Amino acid sequence: MRSPKFWKEYCRELEIFDIINVVTKVTGYTLGQLRSHARNKEKVDARQLFVLLCLENTPYGFVQMGITLNRDHSSAMNLSKRERSDAFEKIWEEAAKEIDKIKEKEFGAAIHEL
């Protein structure tokens, strides 16, 4: 699996909807559910995943992430600083694989030869 630095250097950055699709696929929560005001652990982990994936794979800042999640920028900032649980680490690994699949689909296997 390639590092985020590799992808940022050689690949286009993803759109925010690509990130939403990955979060939905990995966690099962839709954008509407992420935008709700529920604060159960699984939804908070899904929101944290969204914010961290956006930071690594999109040009969007905390304001845009907050707007997408129906929150303000400080909520997105706090999610980025939140401690990662063991359960979160598992979904993080799945999401990283999905991001790699999207980028490999976009650029093909030849990207590995760089």
Side-chain angles (χ1 to χ4, degrees), residues 70-106:
N70 195 28
R71 286 163 171 71
D72 61 17
H73 73 284
S74 62
S75 296
M77 289 174 66
N78 288 334
L79 284 167
S80 73
K81 296 175 185 176
R82 183 174 172 259
E83 187 174 328
R84 297 178 182 193
S85 66
D86 291 336
F88 178 83
E89 289 298 332
K90 182 180 176 184
I91 63 172
W92 177 257
E93 289 173 14
E94 287 181 50
K97 289 176 187 174
E98 292 299 320
I99 293 290
D100 282 351
K101 286 179 189 176
I102 291 171
K103 290 184 175 182
E104 285 178 6
K105 182 179 178 184
E106 180 77 21

Side-chain angles (χ1 to χ4, degrees), residues 47-62:
R47 289 184 195 112
Q48 181 183 19
L49 178 66
F50 171 80
V51 169
L52 293 176
L53 288 175
C54 282
L55 285 174
E56 286 193 0
N57 299 290
T58 71
Y60 300 107
F62 290 117

Side-chain angles (χ1 to χ4, degrees), residues 16-54:
I16 208 159
F17 293 111
D18 294 325
I19 303 300
I20 292 167
N21 289 336
V22 168
V23 172
T24 300
K25 185 172 185 176
V26 171
T27 66
Y29 290 113
T30 63
L31 179 59
Q33 291 169 318
L34 294 178
R35 292 174 57 91
S36 74
H37 291 287
R39 293 192 294 182
N40 63 336
K41 185 178 179 343
E42 292 79 18
K43 282 188 184 172
V44 174
D45 281 348
R47 289 184 195 112
Q48 181 183 19
L49 178 66
F50 171 80
V51 169
L52 293 176
L53 288 175
C54 282

